[in-house]
């Protein structure tokens, strides 16, 4: 940057540099920062850095930060290490060079000087003029240095007597623009200071010019950094802090402590279930300063049943200070925090079954998704997870005590078709149609080797249904023939068996895969000779048929198989098929809806004719 000396007297001269301020502010507002409110965070961060440097010089000093906002100015004053005139010129040169490339901004943030420069520039998001008055603590009789920047891109630097600032440190005063009132009103400045600086380790106070002594911004440390008389008191304090931060009462709080990276905080277990895969943002502070409220990257994807607030020493922020830099340290922290969550689940399983039960009742889907990919969680929690079974909603461990052979369906629809009959037949069937359930049930032998697991197929179920005697079979043959003819359009066979419960007139044994295969076969027949016919024909197998199994123990079925009127026999068979389809709760095809309506009306008409 060119330097213009405006006076022959070098000691008294004001020096003016020209910078591309418009381009820099545009870069910051559109490509680096998400909101103008970050100006206060940057000024607080500069003050914290300065205090850190001052403590390196004077370890036992009592230093702090003071904020002032009265609607006309915003002022941030610190007792930090302060600046020399050479420092100020270095900062300005750094700013000028950083204006041309965004990646240079990231490089400059690695040390104190770069951080100060960029932080100062962020104030131009809300201010037309910035005034800096600083005095270095490293030199006992150092003069005060004044820097004054303006919105036209120019600034001046001059030295003042030490009396202009009696104590070392830095004061930054902003003259806000008229359109920046949203971010510079006293109430908003106080709120932003609390938002960004509530966990800062240095005392911060706020004064709105009303004459008070100043309001503490961070009156007490984070609860994990304080002592408590009992573990219960500590637990309650952590839960209260989680509720204050996130707005919900945690099901439980998990204290997080990773000394290797200086990380402390809590994970709050959500009291309500959330959709699997939904990731929550976590609140991350770095050295006490709030970095992000939406830091998804701090935990693995499967940990969507918690929200965290942490403070870390060694995590690396990106140039914008609004997210975390993805590096080996962050990956190690993510793995370590995941291990803490696993340990909490293990402790609950071992020593607090009531808490574990409430957790699984709320977050069983989350745990199932975790167990699919985590063998340790699988071994620990699979026996405790609830599943829908023929014995009702129960855990696999309890279910396996009465069923050494566990059958699992591939869909909810199949389970609903067979549940009542399978239960009456003494079969143990688990509904595997929900997300993760079928895969997890098949892994049960890894935990309980004495249990065997198999997929339920129609042959398994029908093998447990008792055949009728030969005389009954022969007597029912004419009706069964009429029924098969009536239901041929649905590729459905009809058989007569006896099974419990006797109140069930019929069982429809069919699967989604079988219906797909029949549809493919039908399309192949319709496309005979064409290109699609060749393709589908090559895929064609012997299409499995559905099976309507009538229950001879049911009084209605015994009456139906004795019908000798052909039309009435067909109608009753259609009605029994329609009722069995509806019990399966699968979506009805248009032809099935039409059949149900027609058979109901035909039976009603027959009953009315009989009465007349």
């Amino acid at each position: 940057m060119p330097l213009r000396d405006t006076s022959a007297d070098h000691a008294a001269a004001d020096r003016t540099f020209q910078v591309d301020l418009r381009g820099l502010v545009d870069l910051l507002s559109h490509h680096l920062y998400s909101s103008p409110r970050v100006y206060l965070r940057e000024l607080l961060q500069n003050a914290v850095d300065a205090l850190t440097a001052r403590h390196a010089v004077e370890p036992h000093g009592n230093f702090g930060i003071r904020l002032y906002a009265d609607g006309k100015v915003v002022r941030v004053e610190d007792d930090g290490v302060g600046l020399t005139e050479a420092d100020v010129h270095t900062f300005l040169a750094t700013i000028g060079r950083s204006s041309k490339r965004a990646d240079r901004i990231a490089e400059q943030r690695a040390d104190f000087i770069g951080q100060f420069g960029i932080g100062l520039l962020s104030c131009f998001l809300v201010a037309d003029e910035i005034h800096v008055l600083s005095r270095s603590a490293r030199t006992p009789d150092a003069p005060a240095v004044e820097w004054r920047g303006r919105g036209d891109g120019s600034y001046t630097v001059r030295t003042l007597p030490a009396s202009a600032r009696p104590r070392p440190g830095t004061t930054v005063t902003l003259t806000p623009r008229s359109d920046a009132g949203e971010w510079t009103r006293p109430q908003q400045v106080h709120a932003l200071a609390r938002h960004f600086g509530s966990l800062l380790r240095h005392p911060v106070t706020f004064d709105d010019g009303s004459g008070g002594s100043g309001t503490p911004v961070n009156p007490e440390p984070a609860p994990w950094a304080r002592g408590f008389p009992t573990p219960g008191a500590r637990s309650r304090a952590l839960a209260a802090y989680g509720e204050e931060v996130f707005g919900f009462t945690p099901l439980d709080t998990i204290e997080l402590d990773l000394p290797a990276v200086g990380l402390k905080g809590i994970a709050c277990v959500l009291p309500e279930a959330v959709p699997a895969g939904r990731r929550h943002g976590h609140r991350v502070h770095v050295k006490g300063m709030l970095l992000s409220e939406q830091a998804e990257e701090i935990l693995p994807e499967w940990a969507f049943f918690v929200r965290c607030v942490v403070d870390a020493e060694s995590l690396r922020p990106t140039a914008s200070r609004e997210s975390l830099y993805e590096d080996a340290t962050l990956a190690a922290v993510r793995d370590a925090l995941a291990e803490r969550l696993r340990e909490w689940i293990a402790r609950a399983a071992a020593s607090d079954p009531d808490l574990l039960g409430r957790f699984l009742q709320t977050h069983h889907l989350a745990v199932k998704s975790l167990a699919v990919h985590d063998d340790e969680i699988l071994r620990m929690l699979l026996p405790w997870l609830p599943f829908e079974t023929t014995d009702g909603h129960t855990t696999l461990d309890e279910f396996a005590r009465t069923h050494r052979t566990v059958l699992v369906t591939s869909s909810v629809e199949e389970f609903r078709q067979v549940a009542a009959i399978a239960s009456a037949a003494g079969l143990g069937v688990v509904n595997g149609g929900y997300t993760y359930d079928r895969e997890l049930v098949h892994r049960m032998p890894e935990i309980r080797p004495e249990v065997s697991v198999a997929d339920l197929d129609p042959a398994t179920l029908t093998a447990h249904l008792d055949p009728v005697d030969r005389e009954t079979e022969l007597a029912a043959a004419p009706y069964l023939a009429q029924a098969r003819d009536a239901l041929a359009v649905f590729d459905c066979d009809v058989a007569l068996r006896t099974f419990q419960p006797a109140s069930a007139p019929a069982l429809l044994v069919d699967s989604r895969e079988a219906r797909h295969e029949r549809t493919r076969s039908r399309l192949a027949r319709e496309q005979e000779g064409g290109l699609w016919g060749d393709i589908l024909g090559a895929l064609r197998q012997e299409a499995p048929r559905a099976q309507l199994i009538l229950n001879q123990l049911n009084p209605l079925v015994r009456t139906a198989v004795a019908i000798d009127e052909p039309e009435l026999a067909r109608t009753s068979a259609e009605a029994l098929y329609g009722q069995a389809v509806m019990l399966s709760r699968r979506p009805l095809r248009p032809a099935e809806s039409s059949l149900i309506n027609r058979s109901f009306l035909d039976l009603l008409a027959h009953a009315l004719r009989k009465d007349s």
Side-chain angles (χ1 to χ4, degrees), residues 46 102 161 271 292-293 324 357 395 400 404 463 475 501 537 542:
N46 286 343
S292 175
E293 295 177 280
L324 294 169
T395 66
R404 292 305 185 193
E542 183 64 31

Side-chain angles (χ1 to χ4, degrees), residues 254-256 267 299-303 305-306 332-350 356 359 367 369-381:
I254 308 164
E255 192 160 359
L256 307 174
L299 285 180
E301 291 186 9
W302 55 258
F305 53 88
V306 296
V333 166
R334 185 163 49 236
D335 291 343
L337 292 180
E339 183 60 27
R340 297 297 183 273
L341 297 184
R342 292 189 185 95
E343 290 172 357
W344 173 81
I345 294 175
R347 285 196 304 272
L356 179 67
F359 170 67
V367 176
S369 69
L370 173 58
V372 167
H373 305 101
D374 190 310
D375 290 345
E376 184 176 347
I377 293 296
L378 177 79
R379 291 190 296 272
M380 188 186 309
L381 289 182

